[in-house]
Structures are given as C-alpha cells and as structure tokens.
Amino acid sequence: EGRFALQPISKERVAELLRNDLQLDVADKVFSIDVGSVRFNDNLVDRKTQFRVGDKAMIQCSLLPPHEDLYMEAHLLDEEGRILSRLWQLVARENMRGHFWFQMEDSLEPGVYSVVIRIDGQEAGSRTLELLPGPTTASRDDAISELSPPEDQPATTVTATQR
C-alpha cells in the first residue's frame, strides 16, 4: 500500500522508446475521412454519401497531430477502379484537415463511386459515395425563394421602437 514507486528501466528500453528512425504508416496519420456537401468554418457540417448530378461532393480528411507537411491526393474512381478525377493539395503541418471538392457532372453515370485518399503517394483510406439519377437537389437560392412570401402578400418587417 502507499505510493507507487517507479522502477528504473534498462538502457536498451530507453533507446527503443526514444528512437526516431521509424516512419509512421500514412493510415496512422489519418483521424477520419468524411463525405458531405457543406463546409462551415473549416468543418464538414453535413455528412452524406448520396448525390445527384450537379451536386458538389466534399471529401474531408482529418489528420492526427503532430504531422509533417503532407502532399495529399483524392482520386474519384468508378466501380471498375478507373480514376475519373484527381485532386491534390499540400497540407501544412499546422493544418488538421484537407478538403477536396468533386463536381458530380452529367458526364458521370449514376452508380457507386469510390474516393481514395493518398498521402505522399501511399493509400491512406477510402470512402464510397453514390450518384443517383435525376436532377440536382434544390440550390440555396431556390430554397430561399420557396420560403419568400407570395407577391400579393407583403413581407413582415420588425423594427425597434425608441423609448
């Protein structure tokens, strides 16, 4: 009982723990890979995997600190594994996320696609997304116009009154 006393460790164990010649696997530098379409304040705020033609798919790769400056790529692959699009960026050591935007163009057939994240030329992870048939989802402007009052009904305004 009482306080736990630290026991000395061997010099070989100290050398093993403090060595810095080992390289981390790139997958161990990745915290998460997320798919969605809305970015707010450097964060993906809506996670989804289904898109329509005309939508933009955002891929966010969150990293674990600390990490060195990284060359990061995102490849959009079809069901047969062919690369349809490739984006890249440099992620500085002070940044914890890399973001990639893929435009889901009408040249893409509806189906299942994969996004593969590569860091410094090595595969770090992948996610699957689905392109659905049909027109794009409503844009923000369309959604706002649907919420606007009809032309024959004036908009309500609130004004502050002075005392």
Side-chain angles (χ1 to χ4, degrees), residues 3 12 21-22 30 32 36 39 42 52 54 59 63 85 88 90-91 123 128-129 132 138-139 148 150 152 158:
R3 291 186 174 187
E12 293 82 21
D21 61 337
L22 296 176
V30 174
S32 68
R39 178 178 164 185
D42 201 39
R52 296 196 182 273
I59 313 304
L63 301 166
S85 182
W88 66 272
L90 298 174
V91 180
E123 186 171 330
T128 302
L129 57 92
L132 301 173
S139 70
S148 299
D152 60 337
V158 177

Side-chain angles (χ1 to χ4, degrees), residues 3-134:
R3 291 186 174 187
F4 181 74
L6 295 176
Q7 301 297 319
I9 59 175
S10 68
K11 290 182 180 180
E12 293 82 21
R13 180 67 176 145
V14 170
E16 179 185 345
L17 292 172
L18 297 178
R19 67 188 286 188
N20 64 357
D21 61 337
L22 296 176
Q23 290 290 327
L24 283 178
D25 188 82
V26 293
D28 294 331
K29 298 176 185 180
V30 174
F31 177 70
S32 68
I33 300 171
D34 298 302
V35 181
S37 63
V38 177
R39 178 178 164 185
F40 178 73
N41 203 20
D42 201 39
N43 291 299
L44 180 69
V45 294
D46 76 323
R47 286 163 174 76
K48 66 179 193 174
T49 58
Q50 294 183 331
F51 299 89
R52 296 196 182 273
V53 172
D55 287 346
K56 284 186 180 179
M58 186 181 113
I59 313 304
Q60 174 179 278
C61 181
S62 300
L63 301 166
L64 292 168
H67 66 81
E68 70 277 13
D69 296 340
L70 300 172
Y71 173 77
M72 191 180 296
E73 295 176 281
H75 298 187
L76 180 65
L77 284 68
D78 64 9
E79 290 179 292
E80 297 171 8
R82 293 180 297 213
I83 297 175
L84 303 174
S85 182
R86 185 180 92 176
L87 304 172
W88 66 272
Q89 65 178 269
L90 298 174
V91 180
R93 65 191 73 199
E94 62 270 11
N95 294 332
M96 293 297 114
R97 292 177 194 86
H99 299 99
F100 301 95
W101 290 95
F102 286 104
Q103 180 69 41
M104 306 310 282
E105 300 170 346
D106 56 0
S107 62
L108 298 173
E109 294 292 324
V112 177
Y113 293 86
S114 297
V115 175
V116 176
I117 299 293
R118 298 179 64 86
I119 296 176
D120 294 334
Q122 298 176 17
E123 186 171 330
S126 65
R127 290 293 175 266
T128 302
L129 57 92
E130 184 179 7
L131 183 60
L132 301 173

